[in-house]
Amino acid sequence: MALLEIKNMMIEFPNRRGNFIAVEDTSIEVAAGEILGVVGESGAGKSTIGNAIMGLLQAPGRLGRGEIYLNGDRIDGLSSERLRQLRGNRIGMIFQDPMTSLNPIETIEMQLVETIQEHLHLSQSEANSRAIDLLEQVGIENANQRIKQYPHQFSGGMRQRVVIALALCAEPELIIADEPTTALDVSIQAQILNLIKELCREKQVGVILITHDMGVIAETTDRVVVMYKGRLIEEGATSEVIRNPNKPYSKSLIAAVPPSNKKIERFPKVAMDDSDGGRLQNFNVSSHWLGKGSRFEDTEHALIHVQNICKRFPLNSAILKRDRTYIDAIKNISFDVMPGETFGLVGESGSGKSTVARVITGIHPASSGSIFFANTDLAKIKSGAERRRVRRDIQMVFQDPYSSLNGRMRVGTIVAEPIVVNKLTKTKAEREEVVLDLLDLVGLGRNAARKYPHEFSGGQRQRISIARALATRPRFLICDEPTSALDVSIQAQILNLLKDLQEQLNLTFLFISHDMPVMRQMCNRIGVMRKGELVEIRETEALFNSPQHSYTQSLIKLMPKFTK
């Protein structure tokens, strides 16, 4: 008998126009001790299935047809009280966004201990000991101290580990893991996946692993199902589906995954995906507005020269200087980025990658060291006009396209804002035409200008961010984890777009990511950061084929392998 059995599931969301069918005629089985992978695009119905199992469908969503069994017990249609007892106790869920799973006004200790005592009926001290042990299992150092802290005092990856500890509290029979490793570095990702595999092996826990990371699927799951527009279109043993997919969609989805063992020129378009994935069409840079910006003509010297930069953040604000304590986020970082090059920074959370980017852009002033842009020492710029010119030339695409866009502004206004601030056009009509042209360029179409950010998917919002960054006609573009939360097909489109823009506009990139296969595809050279220090810089293929530093070797060893 299967641990979990779903029969002919249909999930619908009634609306004014009728019924939207989110999942249709889907049957799935999960055995005890088995890890089942669920892959597909955003909107394919993956998370909806997980929510239906837990009884957490958001109103007006409902199970229109089908049956769900857990160890032979039918669980669809249970009362709210029975479902509450089921959650956490027999079924644990790891949500993608840890901030929506944790209470910001309660300590981690309160949340873990409350859950443990609710389901396992342990004493306060026993529950406390189990909570600390769980935090240690998911890789949180100094767990006995950190358990007293609040969620905002943890990084994104650390918060996800806390969420995983919460899901494991009551030793459930089934775990539904919805993108559990999206925000995690390769070392922590490996640790979490090993923990999940250990639970399956030793305690016969069943796992449904929902993810867009095909490397994780390849290395972790026993079987995989492929979802497309609410339907299960293919299933089988993981190795068989990855090596010999039957459906065109499955074939192109797997083809769009960045391989870990080699570099490819371009990512293929996913079949049945009607969004833009081709090269920039009919784009003549010499006559385009973007091509009329200033360019760095000196090809022998670095466009960006970073020399011994350090950044210290105060941990307390004592009145006396001797009582203040600091943390060194980055220490003596030096590197060059040549014109037209893509230079990558890779490393774990807290290694200082994003701090380097923020120091270069001026968001954080450097504590010491110097940064030269186009042979100009940025620290010595006194003129406001010169400072604004440099800021136009250096732009940044942030990791989270949700929080980096103003939800109250129309997309056209968002993209136009840098043009208005920097007075780059003479008339309103010219500005509007430039904005529409930029939206066309990034594959969104001119109609996008009238819409708001919430009307777009994550990948489309990232395109809006790229259009906004291009609006100042920059020479240097910093991309901080630009595809970390995107499906592989959308990731492929964004990476292709960045490659095309670089080729056409001779842009120079600083590319920051913890996704090693993506770094291999995008970068000419890579710098490896660890605990605020740059431990190795090498050309990309040399770094992957013969890493010199022990830390780099461990990163590459832990990287999920996906070969073609």
Side-chain angles (χ1 to χ4, degrees):
M1 182 177 64
L3 170 67
L4 176 76
E5 188 176 7
I6 298 172
K7 296 181 179 180
N8 305 315
M9 175 184 280
M10 189 272 278
I11 299 171
E12 58 188 356
F13 287 80
N15 56 49
R16 288 176 297 175
R17 301 187 183 97
N19 271 359
F20 170 72
I21 308 299
V23 176
E24 188 169 3
D25 196 28
T26 295
S27 298
I28 293 172
E29 288 188 1
V30 182
E34 179 184 41
I35 303 177
L36 175 73
V38 183
V39 298
E41 309 290 325
S42 293
K46 308 184 302 293
S47 296
T48 306
I49 290 173
N51 289 335
I53 295 169
M54 294 284 287
L56 292 175
L57 284 175
Q58 187 173 356
R62 66 192 181 199
L63 188 67
R65 185 176 62 249
E67 302 168 1
I68 306 171
Y69 294 88
L70 181 65
N71 252 337
D73 300 328
R74 187 168 178 178
I75 61 173
D76 60 282
L78 292 178
S79 66
S80 298
E81 178 60 26
R82 291 284 304 281
L83 281 171
R84 191 183 68 80
Q85 294 169 2
L86 186 79
R87 298 183 201 115
N89 191 1
R90 299 186 65 189
I91 306 177
M93 188 156 187
I94 303 168
F95 295 94
Q96 179 175 356
D97 182 3
M99 281 309 284
T100 61
S101 311
L102 298 172
N103 189 331
I105 62 172
E106 288 188 355
T107 64
I108 300 303
E109 180 180 37
M110 291 171 67
Q111 297 180 62
L112 280 170
V113 168
E114 179 186 23
T115 306
I116 292 168
Q117 288 190 301
E118 173 70 24
H119 295 295
L120 298 184
H121 309 292
L122 299 178
S123 68
Q124 180 77 24
S125 61
E126 289 172 331
N128 230 299
S129 296
R130 176 161 175 75
I132 292 171
D133 184 53
L134 281 165
L135 291 181
E136 288 173 345
Q137 283 184 47
V138 296
I140 294 181
E141 298 179 358
N142 303 317
N144 58 335
Q145 297 174 9
R146 301 220 63 182
I147 198 171
K148 305 288 185 184
Q149 296 180 323
Y150 291 85
H152 73 270
Q153 295 174 281
F154 289 74
S155 68
M158 299 279 274
R159 285 194 290 263
Q160 188 64 296
R161 282 179 260 177
V162 173
V163 169
I164 293 168
L166 271 169
L168 301 178
C169 274
E171 301 180 348
E173 302 164 46
L174 175 72
I175 294 175
I176 302 169
D178 190 356
E179 301 279 7
T181 60
T182 295
L184 303 184
D185 310 308
V186 288
S187 59
I188 303 305
Q189 174 178 271
Q191 191 175 352
I192 295 303
L193 294 175
N194 284 336
L195 178 61
I196 289 174
K197 286 189 280 189
E198 187 178 304
L199 283 167
C200 291
R201 185 173 60 250
E202 294 183 359
K203 299 187 178 181
Q204 290 298 290
V205 174
V207 175
I208 297 177
L209 180 61
I210 301 167
T211 181
H212 64 262
D213 190 327
M214 293 299 291
V216 168
I217 288 289
E219 289 207 339
T220 309
T221 62
D222 303 299
R223 288 190 305 118
V224 64
V225 300
V226 182
M227 301 285 298
Y228 179 71
K229 292 188 175 179
R231 286 185 174 272
L232 194 159
I233 64 169
E234 187 164 354
E235 67 176 311
T238 301
S239 57
E240 187 61 28
V241 171
I242 287 177
R243 281 200 308 265
N244 301 303
N246 291 320
K247 303 294 183 181
Y249 174 76
S250 304
K251 291 177 181 178
S252 57
L253 186 69
I254 290 168
V257 180
S260 59
N261 63 327
K262 62 182 179 182
K263 190 165 188 170
I264 59 176
E265 180 186 353
R266 192 170 181 80
F267 299 96
K269 184 179 177 182
V270 173
M272 297 185 275
D273 179 11
D274 54 6
S275 55
D276 175 47
R279 289 183 181 273
L280 300 178
Q281 299 295 318
N282 305 317
F283 179 56
N284 184 354
V285 69
S286 60
S287 60
H288 195 275
W289 183 81
L290 284 173
K292 297 175 184 177
S294 60
R295 287 289 173 264
F296 187 54
E297 303 299 337
D298 182 357
T299 57
E300 294 183 2
H301 296 90
L303 176 63
I304 283 280
H305 173 63
V306 176
Q307 184 176 334
N308 298 323
I309 61 168
C310 299
K311 180 60 186 176
R312 307 184 85 196
F313 291 102
L315 290 177
N316 61 26
S317 53
I319 296 174
L320 297 177
K321 193 172 183 179
R322 67 171 181 266
D323 294 333
R324 297 173 192 165
T325 55
Y326 297 86
I327 183 170
D328 292 307
I330 54 174
K331 296 170 275 190
N332 296 316
I333 301 294
S334 298
F335 61 85
D336 291 339
V337 187
M338 301 303 292
E341 178 186 34
T342 299
F343 182 80
L345 284 179
V346 69
E348 297 177 283
S349 294
S351 63
K353 307 185 301 295
S354 296
T355 303
V356 170
R358 283 161 171 73
V359 169
I360 291 173
T361 55
I363 295 173
H364 297 322
S367 301
S368 61
S370 54
I371 301 167
F372 291 83
F373 176 74
N375 299 321
T376 300
D377 188 342
L378 299 185
K380 294 182 179 178
I381 296 177
K382 303 299 181 185
S383 161
E386 179 68 9
R387 189 174 292 109
R388 285 192 297 273
R389 185 191 65 76
V390 169
R391 285 177 177 169
R392 288 201 306 268
D393 285 339
I394 302 175
Q395 288 294 307
M396 190 162 176
V397 178
F398 293 91
Q399 176 176 358
D400 184 3
Y402 294 84
S403 60
S404 61
L405 300 176
N406 189 331
R408 296 186 178 185
M409 293 169 64
R410 294 184 189 272
V411 167
T413 307
I414 290 171
V415 177
E417 190 174 25
I419 301 174
V420 173
V421 170
N422 291 284
K423 301 176 181 178
L424 298 179
T425 55
K426 295 179 180 178
T427 65
K428 181 180 178 182
E430 182 187 2
R431 181 176 72 245
E432 289 176 348
E433 183 60 30
V434 167
V435 168
L436 296 177
D437 203 19
L438 285 170
L439 292 172
D440 252 349
L441 186 68
V442 298
L444 287 173
R446 297 189 163 212
N447 290 335
R450 298 194 298 269
K451 299 179 180 179
Y452 290 90
H454 74 266
E455 298 179 71
F456 295 89
S457 69
Q460 290 172 322
R461 293 187 209 197
Q462 198 61 290
R463 287 171 181 259
I464 297 168
S465 298
I466 293 171
R468 179 180 60 183
L470 291 173
T472 62
R473 296 186 291 207
R475 291 185 279 177
F476 184 58
L477 199 60
I478 300 173
C479 299
D480 188 2
E481 301 274 12
T483 63
S484 66
L486 303 183
D487 298 318
V488 288
S489 63
I490 306 302
Q491 172 178 271
Q493 292 172 26
I494 296 296
L495 296 180
N496 281 341
L497 173 63
L498 292 173
K499 284 187 173 188
D500 288 345
L501 290 170
Q502 183 174 42
E503 182 181 323
Q504 295 280 6
L505 298 171
N506 195 34
L507 286 173
T508 304
F509 286 127
L510 174 62
F511 202 93
I512 296 170
S513 180
H514 65 261
D515 190 324
M516 299 291 282
V518 166
M519 296 294 277
R520 187 168 198 166
Q521 307 311 317
M522 294 301 293
C523 302
N524 304 107
R525 291 183 303 129
I526 293 175
V528 182
M529 292 196 66
R530 181 172 186 252
K531 295 182 178 180
E533 297 180 336
L534 200 52
V535 298
E536 183 171 358
I537 299 178
R538 302 191 74 197
E539 289 189 2
T540 300
E541 287 305 292
L543 184 88
F544 276 87
N545 293 327
S546 57
Q548 300 299 302
H549 196 277
S550 58
Y551 176 69
T552 311
Q553 292 169 2
S554 68
L555 280 182
I556 293 174
K557 183 180 178 181
L558 291 169
M559 172 180 66
K561 304 299 188 293
F562 190 89
T563 58
K564 298 180 183 179

